[in-house]
């Protein structure tokens, strides 16, 4: 009953509702006969291909006007034409992407093509219905994404090359420079030992300066190696309890903290997605500095964390000597120090390592400080830091 009313509906009216329905589709339809010629085309096909019904009639699917191409731009071979394939194999062809030339606008349309054979009662193919949808815009977006991806890939390759160059440079700096440096130091010490009685006080003083200088260069080289060691390994990232990492650091720094009678106040800390050894190093450097740059008073260090919309905001506050205004950014650069070696030993690599570690976690680090009052180092770890 229902079947009957549907077919009545479809075939009623002068033009026939089926034709109206087919013309209202946002899908192009071309029906080819077994001689491979267009028998019927709907309105969307006319608009899409820029050809009238008359122009399309009897056109063969491999007509040079179409100038059909594959997705990669190579010309379509005649025997691979989906209409011919369906005619030959008596099977449908599905979801084939092709580009066709539009003579009217002289541009290319991208089509997602399907063909379906229609059979006579005796089982021969009488027609091929070729339906296609317009994917020109989608293809343009995909092409843009592909080209973006390719340029990202090529940048990643360039970066990998320059990283490899840097690693080689660090290797040369650490291994090859250390040997001549050792030579300079030992010959200076030999000079001092052998000619001790012949040299006056000033000459001895100069030799001591030179030996100190070469020792400093050695420390700088070793710290450069240390800095370059911290690199990203996304496989090392895991869900971890930052309070546990901090407790390990405190155990590690037990002697330093004890010697300085440091009072550590740890507030509740969150579970984060981070690299445990990098987070360990970050806390270690900040805690060490908080004690190292202490004032006359007993060091009091507070480690806290505030939850923000997208980040965990950690803070490490001390009551130490503080930092002069104007230096709060510079101290995160490699080998930047505010103090002479005589006052506080160091090479200025600790905070550069902290900056690098936080950057590898896609967070940021900064300091707020008041000279004589203490400093608070802040750093963020993104919440959805899944490392991808
Ligand atoms: P280093 O301690 O070897 O000098 P860092 O990179 O750890 O290297 O620190 C850079 C500079 O930042 C230090 O020389 C010091 O002047 C300053 N600084 C770092 N931490 C603190 C702190 N908690 N309080 C005051 N000054 C600090």
């Amino acid at each position: 009953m229902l079947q009957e009313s549907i077919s009545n509906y479809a075939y009623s009216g002068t033009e026939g509702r089926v034709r109206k329905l087919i013309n209202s589709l946002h899908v192009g339809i071309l029906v080819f006969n077994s001689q491979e010629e267009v028998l019927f085309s709907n309105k969307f096909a006319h608009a899409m291909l820029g050809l009238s019904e008359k122009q399309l009639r009897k056109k063969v699917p491999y007509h040079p006007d179409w100038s059909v191409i594959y997705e990669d731009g190579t010309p379509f071979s005649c025997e691979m034409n989906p209409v011919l394939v369906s005619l030959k194999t008596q099977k449908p062809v599905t979801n084939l992407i092709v580009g066709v030339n539009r003579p009217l606008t002289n541009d290319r349309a991208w089509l997602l093509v399907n063909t379906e054979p229609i059979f006579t009662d005796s089982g021969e193919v009488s027609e091929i219905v070729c339906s296609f949808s317009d994917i020109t815009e989608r293809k343009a977006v995909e092409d843009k994404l592909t080209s973006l991806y390719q340029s990202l890939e090529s940048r990643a390759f360039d970066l990998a090359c320059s990283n490899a160059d840097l690693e080689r440079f660090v290797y040369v700096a650490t291994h090859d420079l250390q040997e001549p440096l050792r030579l300079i130091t030992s010959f200076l010490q030999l000079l001092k030992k052998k000619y001790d009685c012949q040299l006056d006080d000033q000459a001895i003083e100069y030799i001591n300066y030179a030996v100190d200088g070469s020792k400093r260069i050695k420390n700088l080289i070793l710290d450069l190696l240390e800095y370059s060691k911290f690199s990203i390994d996304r496989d090392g990232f895991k869900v971890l309890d930052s309070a546990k990492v901090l407790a390990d650091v405190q155990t590690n720094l037990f002697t330093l903290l004890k010697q300085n009678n440091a009072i550590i106040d740890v507030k509740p800390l969150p579970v984060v997605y981070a690299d445990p050894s990098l987070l360990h190093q970050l806390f270690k450097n900040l805690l060490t500095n908080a004690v190292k740059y202490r004032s006359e008073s007993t060091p009091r260090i507070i480690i806290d964390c505030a939850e923000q919309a997208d980040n965990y905001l950690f803070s490490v506050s001390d009551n130490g000597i503080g930092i002069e205004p104007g230096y709060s950014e510079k101290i995160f650069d490699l080998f930047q120090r505010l103090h002479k070696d005589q006052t506080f030993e160091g090479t200025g690599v600790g905070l550069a390592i902290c900056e690098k570690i936080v950057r590898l976690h896609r967070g940021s680090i900064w300091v707020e400080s008041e000279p004589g009052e203490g400093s608070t180092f802040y750093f963020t770890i993104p919440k959805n830091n899944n490392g991808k």
Side-chain angles (χ1 to χ4, degrees):
M1 187 63 194
L2 178 69
Q3 186 62 38
E4 201 183 311
S5 65
I6 289 174
S7 48
N8 279 346
Y9 166 77
Y11 293 107
S12 63
T14 42
E15 193 188 356
R17 281 212 162 81
V18 171
R19 177 180 280 269
K20 280 191 181 166
L21 288 177
I22 290 173
N23 275 330
S24 71
L25 294 175
H26 274 253
V27 174
I29 308 268
L30 296 176
V31 180
F32 291 85
N33 62 19
S34 53
Q35 280 78 51
E36 305 156 5
E37 300 162 337
V38 173
L39 272 183
F40 170 81
S41 51
N42 75 342
K43 279 194 174 147
F44 190 83
H46 307 152
M48 195 53 238
L49 302 171
L51 293 166
S52 66
E53 186 169 18
K54 205 169 154 202
Q55 287 167 318
L56 276 166
R57 192 173 290 274
K58 297 223 166 178
K59 214 166 171 108
V60 284
Y62 42 85
H63 194 283
D65 274 3
W66 304 110
S67 111
V68 184
I69 55 165
Y70 286 105
E71 259 195 293
D72 65 3
T74 52
F76 218 86
S77 61
C78 178
E79 62 275 15
M80 288 311 290
N81 190 293
V83 175
L84 302 198
V85 170
S86 273
L87 266 174
K88 198 169 158 195
T89 62
Q90 306 201 335
K91 290 203 171 100
V93 173
T94 52
N95 298 331
L96 184 73
I97 295 176
V98 295
V100 292
N101 191 38
R102 276 195 286 216
L104 203 65
T105 42
N106 199 24
D107 63 353
R108 191 171 297 288
W110 287 96
L111 309 177
L112 182 68
V113 179
N114 288 282
T115 55
E116 186 72 41
I118 308 284
F119 296 94
T120 60
D121 290 344
S122 55
E124 282 143 29
V125 175
S126 57
E127 289 102 16
I128 300 291
V129 179
C130 172
S131 58
F132 51 89
S133 47
D134 181 4
I135 55 159
T136 311
E137 278 181 26
R138 192 186 92 186
K139 181 87 171 51
V141 172
E142 277 175 7
D143 286 351
K144 191 152 192 179
L145 281 177
T146 309
S147 96
L148 271 174
Y149 178 74
Q150 281 165 348
S151 83
L152 272 180
E153 255 190 343
S154 105
R155 276 178 198 209
F157 178 76
D158 291 348
L159 273 176
C161 288
S162 72
N163 267 352
D165 272 356
L166 272 175
E167 271 167 27
R168 263 195 301 276
F169 166 77
V170 172
Y171 182 84
V172 170
T174 49
H175 290 82
D176 295 9
L177 289 185
Q178 272 192 80
E179 191 44 43
L181 203 60
R182 241 194 311 270
L183 212 72
I184 294 170
T185 317
S186 49
F187 273 105
L188 281 170
Q189 280 163 340
L190 209 65
L191 191 72
K192 190 171 142 191
K193 202 170 154 196
K194 201 157 179 196
Y195 300 98
D196 198 20
C197 355
Q198 287 154 266
L199 294 172
D200 63 13
D201 285 353
Q202 197 163 38
I204 300 276
E205 196 186 359
Y206 289 166
I207 290 176
N208 285 343
Y209 281 145
V211 171
D212 275 358
S214 59
K215 275 184 191 154
R216 272 216 307 282
I217 296 176
K218 188 182 169 200
N219 287 340
L220 288 174
I221 289 173
L222 291 178
D223 278 350
L224 188 64
L225 180 66
E226 181 76 2
Y227 177 80
S228 69
K229 213 173 67 186
F230 294 99
S231 60
I232 198 74
D233 173 13
R234 294 279 171 210
D235 293 343
F237 275 60
K238 54 163 95 157
V239 176
L240 52 86
D241 183 357
S242 55
K244 167 92 180 49
V245 177
L246 183 67
D248 288 346
V249 172
Q250 282 177 256
T251 313
N252 238 238
L253 297 178
F254 179 78
T255 316
L256 176 82
L257 299 175
K258 180 114 181 112
Q259 276 168 355
N260 286 276
N261 299 315
I263 300 164
I264 315 276
D265 182 2
V266 184
K267 306 287 186 201
L269 298 181
V271 167
V272 291
Y273 192 74
D275 181 305
S277 60
L278 295 185
L279 192 64
H280 183 103
Q281 189 69 41
L282 176 60
F283 277 135
K284 187 176 163 200
N285 289 9
L286 292 178
L287 242 63
T288 310
N289 278 354
V291 176
K292 182 170 161 186
Y293 298 103
R294 59 171 287 184
S295 61
E296 298 290 304
S297 341
T298 306
R300 281 174 190 278
I301 304 161
I302 305 166
I303 299 109
D304 200 357
C305 183
E307 187 171 349
Q308 300 180 319
D310 300 325
N311 298 309
Y312 289 109
L313 172 64
F314 286 86
S315 58
V316 178
S317 316
D318 63 53
N319 58 342
I321 57 171
I323 296 161
E324 290 293 328
Y327 289 99
S328 49
E329 282 181 22
K330 214 173 160 209
I331 53 169
F332 293 100
D333 290 344
L334 201 54
F335 302 140
Q336 293 300 320
R337 318 198 59 230
L338 307 185
H339 303 95
K340 296 263 178 282
D341 282 353
Q342 288 88 326
T343 334
F344 298 99
E345 272 192 12
T347 53
V349 87
L351 287 181
I353 288 176
C354 290
E355 190 278 332
K356 188 172 178 184
I357 290 173
V358 174
R359 185 161 31 91
L360 293 177
H361 284 81
R362 303 196 175 136
S364 36
I365 186 167
W366 67 96
V367 67
E368 287 172 12
S369 181
E370 192 70 47
E373 298 294 323
S375 314
T376 302
F377 284 82
Y378 293 96
F379 67 89
T380 58
I381 300 282
K383 276 184 180 171
N384 66 343
N385 199 13
N386 64 4
K388 298 281 165 346

